[in-house]
Amino acid sequence: MSSPESSASGYTKRDWGSHPPLIHPDYKSTVLRGPTKPLIPLQPGLTEMTGPVYGHEALAPLDADLTRNGVRNGEPVGERIIITGRVLDELGRGVPNTLIEIWQANASGRYVHAADQHAAALDPNFFGGGRCVTDLDGRYKFYTIKPGAYPWPNHFNAWRPNHIHLSLFGTSFLSRLVTQLYFPGDPLLDLDPIFLGTPEAARDRLVAKFSIDATEEGFALGYAFDIVLRGPLSTPMEG
Amino acid sequence: MADFKQTPSQTVGPYFAYGLTAKQYGYPQTSIAEGVLVGDDTEGERITLIGRVLDGEGKPVSDAMVEIWQADAQGRYTHPADPRGSNSTFVGFGRLGTGTDPQNRFMFQTVKPGAVAEGQAPHITLILFMRGLLTHLYTRVYFSDEAEANASDPVLTAVPADRRGTLIAAREAGANGVEYRIDIHMQGPDETVFFDA
């Protein structure tokens, strides 16, 4: 059995075989924004082993249902989907009561964000932001609309594949993760410098799987997406 | 188990504001955290941590997101792993985008943290996310008026001496009272130290 590489304090390290490099020239913005000097190793202490805790009290009732939390006068346009799965640590244990924040474009590939000037329709009934807290098994579930692809200025005829942004905390500031979920079979994946910036062996971990079990009869297609965070190698002491 | 490998990081992208910092940017969703960390009952010296994120050409980044995590004025974290706990409602977490200030500054209103343990200098952990950054970065903010403690802090002293200054915020008396100023340089001769935490 192989265990995740541990630091002396019993917290797994960032696995650089899984994460994209800090400068990836095909993704042009990295060239001036990624640091050029090596990261300096830091032995985690209490500062790193702690982090903000946001539980169910941080949520509003419709936060996990993006098909309803932006409604003004009707149903949002597009294909209703369900995104569900578990947040796990590297030993496969569920991470309970941890906050997941998501944001995404609408079905036509347009974000609510004021800086998005893509000439595609905004949807008055879709906001595109939501939150969820995992249950005791680390399970989560969002209802949303399948996001559309959209062009971006990285290179000629550049299009982002359909994706949903996710932000997670996990058990400490070390398990913090911001990532993107992609959809199976998307032909834009093989052309996307952000997705391709990820080490090849790790890319399929970013692609959700269609799940007939998660699909709700007569309502919405289901996609399964588990998220693995860094974590303590043993159960932390309760204070 | 080999089956449970870390989910790769991806960039926060340019459009995080309405999802992660909605209140700051005026979008109709609540935010879990923003730039004000203190409440009426928070003990400690009020400070404002002010800075910019500068790209490789020295230009301020207008679409970065900065998160800070810190102990309270007594050096205690509000987290189950710190058995001392905090005696106030202070959480110690802040989050700001750099897109609402005309100079693209982040400005956190907080308290100066106490030393977490004997031998450590007071510090704030800072995580940086932005378009063009595929994996978030960890850095730390130390305080210019803590020269003695800084000189023996185990993390700071593990940094090459000629780069330690990139982690030290300068204390000034400003419009907001006590201000600490620190710019994050992504590249160049003053490139900020980032940690493989």
Side-chain angles (χ1 to χ4, degrees):
Chain A
M1 160 171 169
S2 69
S3 287
E5 190 183 359
S6 90
S7 61
S9 58
Y11 216 92
T12 62
K13 290 183 171 175
R14 266 214 271 201
D15 171 14
W16 289 101
S18 293
H19 299 292
L22 294 166
I23 294 183
H24 175 62
D26 289 350
Y27 174 21
K28 288 184 181 158
S29 301
T30 67
V31 174
L32 286 175
R33 291 185 166 198
T36 62
K37 295 185 165 71
L39 304 184
I40 293 185
L42 186 156
Q43 200 60 248
L46 195 58
T47 292
E48 287 73 31
M49 306 287 279
T50 54
V53 179
Y54 293 97
H56 295 276
E57 77 290 343
L59 301 182
L62 293 180
D63 273 1
D65 187 349
L66 285 72
T67 69
R68 294 166 70 202
N69 72 12
V71 164
R72 288 184 203 159
N73 56 15
E75 291 279 324
V77 174
E79 184 183 332
R80 276 190 301 264
I81 59 170
I82 292 158
I83 303 290
T84 188
R86 292 178 74 202
V87 180
L88 303 164
D89 69 15
E90 290 163 272
L91 296 174
R93 300 173 296 197
V95 180
N97 299 317
T98 197
L99 180 69
I100 308 177
E101 298 167 278
I102 68 170
W103 69 103
Q104 63 167 91
N106 68 20
S108 40
R110 178 81 185 263
Y111 287 88
V112 164
H113 197 291
D116 185 1
Q117 296 299 309
H118 175 39
L122 283 166
D123 182 343
N125 293 306
F126 188 73
F127 179 66
R131 286 183 288 235
C132 177
V133 169
T134 58
D135 70 12
L136 291 176
D137 295 321
R139 198 165 292 283
Y140 74 92
K141 187 177 193 178
F142 286 102
Y143 290 88
T144 187
I145 297 292
K146 190 170 184 185
Y150 58 84
W152 64 305
N154 190 70
H155 57 274
F156 175 73
N157 216 5
W159 291 77
R160 291 299 329 278
N162 305 336
H163 64 278
I164 297 175
H165 296 267
L166 300 96
S167 168
L168 298 98
F169 285 96
T171 49
S172 86
F173 229 33
L174 292 181
S175 50
R176 187 86 178 86
L177 178 72
V178 168
T179 188
Q180 300 181 29
L181 170 160
Y182 301 96
F183 291 86
D186 189 334
L188 293 171
L189 288 173
D190 289 339
L191 301 170
D192 180 51
I194 294 179
F195 177 71
L196 296 177
T198 311
E200 189 170 1
R203 286 178 201 154
D204 64 354
R205 291 175 226 156
L206 295 173
V207 182
K209 293 182 175 61
F210 170 71
S211 168
I212 194 67
D213 294 329
T215 295
E216 291 189 11
E217 159 78 13
F219 185 69
L221 294 181
Y223 289 88
F225 188 67
D226 288 345
I227 301 154
V228 178
L229 302 179
R230 300 168 64 186
L233 287 175
S234 58
T235 306
M237 298 286 287
E238 292 296 326
Chain B
M1 296 281 290
D3 290 335
F4 301 106
K5 289 184 179 290
Q6 293 171 21
T7 299
S9 172
Q10 298 278 272
T11 180
V12 77
Y15 303 131
F16 63 83
Y18 70 91
L20 300 183
T21 53
K23 191 174 171 192
Q24 178 196 353
Y25 283 75
Y27 291 100
Q29 179 171 273
T30 57
S31 295
I32 55 161
E34 48 188 322
V36 180
L37 283 74
V38 286
D40 290 341
D41 71 338
T42 309
E43 293 176 21
E45 182 184 25
R46 270 23 182 204
I47 65 168
T48 304
L49 179 67
I50 304 177
R52 299 172 299 169
V53 180
L54 303 169
D55 72 12
E57 293 178 336
K59 293 182 184 148
V61 172
S62 63
D63 57 1
M65 186 174 85
V66 175
E67 291 182 346
I68 62 170
W69 172 242
Q70 67 165 93
D72 68 11
Q74 286 78 37
R76 301 171 301 207
Y77 285 105
T78 304
H79 186 274
D82 188 339
R84 302 166 298 177
S86 180
N87 65 351
S88 76
T89 55
F90 185 72
V91 172
F93 177 66
R95 176 192 276 174
L96 284 174
T98 58
T100 59
D101 178 73
Q103 297 171 51
N104 299 125
R105 294 172 299 182
F106 54 84
M107 283 189 277
F108 290 102
Q109 296 172 43
T110 183
V111 290
K112 188 177 175 189
V116 174
E118 191 76 26
Q120 291 188 24
H123 58 268
I124 293 174
T125 296
L126 190 150
I127 298 188
L128 179 63
F129 303 88
M130 62 182 154
R131 173 176 66 83
L133 198 57
L134 285 162
T135 300
H136 62 268
L137 290 169
Y138 292 93
T139 185
R140 277 188 175 195
V141 176
Y142 289 88
F143 301 92
S144 66
D145 54 322
E146 297 283 350
E148 192 179 334
N150 290 344
S152 58
D153 181 84
V155 172
L156 193 56
T157 54
V159 172
D162 62 345
R163 298 190 67 201
R164 287 177 201 160
T166 68
L167 302 178
I168 297 174
R171 182 180 175 110
E172 295 173 10
N176 304 291
V178 177
E179 298 177 349
Y180 284 94
R181 294 184 173 267
I182 190 161
D183 283 341
I184 298 167
H185 297 261
M186 301 312 301
Q187 301 177 357
D190 300 322
E191 182 174 316
T192 295
V193 167
F194 298 105
F195 292 104
D196 192 11

